[in-house]
Amino acid sequence: MRKKLVAGNWKMNTDLASAETLVREIVGALKSATPKATVVLCPPFIALERMHQLIHGTALHIGAQNLHFENDGAFTGEISATMLKSVGCEYVIIGHSERRQFFGETEYTVNRRLLHAIKNNLRPIVCVGETLEHREEGATFNVVRRQLTGAFYNVEEAAMNSVVIAYEPVWAIGTGKTATPEQAQEVHESIRSLMSGLYSRDIADALPILYGGSVKADNAATIFSQPDVDGGLIGGASLKAKEFCAIVNAC
Ligand code: PGA
């Protein structure tokens, strides 16, 4: 049985004060019963250290939204794995579609970031997903396959027990249009089968595959109940403590 995982991607939202308020609300709301799912909060970089202090003693984990693939040097504006680890980060989102769309992220850079995260013992959440155009052309599986084979180039089998994949159809992100549970299941199943081919059946069976794209409290349970959906990567709804905790409790 794979344990469910719910990660909140706060994107470029909250300042230090509002991040602190939000995490306090989430900690408070989840205090009464330990969640069945692993819960990861991915705030902006500036809030990581404070959040790490605030989640101390809880079952929550902290993740970053990106990382650079070198550890130090002349890379103005970038942030490295060692920096993230020094403020208590355990997870890192890699290859989010907004990074691919707006910041020139490619399969090659996703792969380099993934290898770097693994080398530094950060748990990667690798995002893949097709655009509406791809889906309408019937190219969903080809796109996802290309993204995954690119991302996992040279990633060794031994590293796979720390990896999480997130399937996020671009047309469903922030649009209020969620993939149907059947659409999500179909792609998740094909991702698991692809990873089984790249690695092994055992590795694929143990791999958490999250769904992301307009997950809300009222649709989480049906999406999460699909056999190959192991939780969610939550954007907009992770900025409201009550809504986010309801999604966590839908697991
Ligand atoms: P959304 O974002 O939940 O706001 O659609 C998901 C994501 O981008 O990870």
Side-chain angles (χ1 to χ4, degrees), residues 212-234:
S214 300
V215 177
K216 303 275 181 297
D218 58 8
N219 60 22
T222 44
I223 297 174
F224 296 169
S225 67
Q226 297 299 304
D228 287 295
V229 178
D230 305 311
L233 181 54
I234 319 299

Side-chain angles (χ1 to χ4, degrees), residues 18-65:
S18 53
E20 191 168 324
T21 306
L22 183 53
V23 75
R24 282 187 196 283
E25 285 170 4
I26 293 171
V27 168
L30 294 177
K31 203 164 58 189
S32 52
T34 311
K36 291 207 181 83
T38 302
V39 182
V40 183
L41 305 177
C42 305
F45 293 130
I46 55 115
L48 285 168
E49 186 180 7
R50 184 72 187 119
M51 297 252 310
H52 181 58
Q53 294 161 352
L54 292 172
I55 59 151
H56 183 75
T58 72
L60 299 168
H61 303 267
I62 295 294
Q65 299 174 19

Side-chain angles (χ1 to χ4, degrees), residues 9 11 96 98 168 172-175 212-216 233-237:
N9 174 10
K11 308 193 180 184
H96 189 281
E98 285 149 17
E168 300 203 302
I173 295 179
T175 57
S214 300
V215 177
K216 303 275 181 297
L233 181 54
I234 319 299

Side-chain angles (χ1 to χ4, degrees), residues 26-235:
I26 293 171
V27 168
L30 294 177
K31 203 164 58 189
S32 52
T34 311
K36 291 207 181 83
T38 302
V39 182
V40 183
L41 305 177
C42 305
F45 293 130
I46 55 115
L48 285 168
E49 186 180 7
R50 184 72 187 119
M51 297 252 310
H52 181 58
Q53 294 161 352
L54 292 172
I55 59 151
H56 183 75
T58 72
L60 299 168
H61 303 267
I62 295 294
Q65 299 174 19
N66 190 24
L67 89 170
H68 190 56
F69 38 75
E70 300 288 346
N71 244 339
D72 43 51
F75 300 102
T76 302
E78 294 299 319
I79 222 155
S80 75
T82 26
M83 293 172 189
L84 294 177
K85 291 196 72 178
S86 74
V87 291
C89 239
E90 290 173 76
Y91 288 79
V92 60
I93 298 171
I94 295 177
H96 189 281
S97 65
E98 285 149 17
R99 300 232 41 104
R100 295 178 194 256
Q101 207 178 336
F102 305 126
F103 302 101
E105 192 81 67
T106 63
E107 262 89 79
Y108 173 72
T109 56
V110 169
N111 174 245
R112 289 198 64 188
R113 289 183 216 282
L114 175 56
L115 289 167
H116 188 66
I118 289 169
K119 190 167 154 207
N120 288 281
N121 295 319
L122 277 169
R123 295 199 63 175
I125 302 175
V126 182
C127 302
V128 294
E130 81 288 2
T131 60
L132 186 58
E133 208 179 350
H134 292 140
R135 180 160 279 267
E136 285 174 351
E137 282 167 3
T140 298
F141 298 121
N142 283 343
V143 168
V144 169
R145 185 183 310 120
R146 191 189 66 226
Q147 291 172 335
L148 285 172
T149 44
F152 284 89
Y153 180 71
N154 274 344
V155 172
E156 287 177 12
E157 199 170 310
M160 289 306 292
N161 60 2
S162 76
V163 169
V164 178
I165 290 176
Y167 166 60
E168 300 203 302
V170 178
W171 49 271
I173 295 179
T175 57
K177 280 189 215 143
T178 320
T180 63
E182 295 74 25
Q183 283 174 323
Q185 170 56 25
E186 190 183 27
V187 181
H188 282 230
E189 196 180 339
S190 77
I191 291 175
R192 206 176 296 289
S193 142
L194 178 75
M195 297 313 280
S196 164
L198 290 180
Y199 295 95
S200 68
R201 181 38 61 195
D202 284 354
I203 283 177
D205 282 345
L207 183 68
I209 307 177
L210 314 182
Y211 169 80
S214 300
V215 177
K216 303 275 181 297
D218 58 8
N219 60 22
T222 44
I223 297 174
F224 296 169
S225 67
Q226 297 299 304
D228 287 295
V229 178
D230 305 311
L233 181 54
I234 319 299

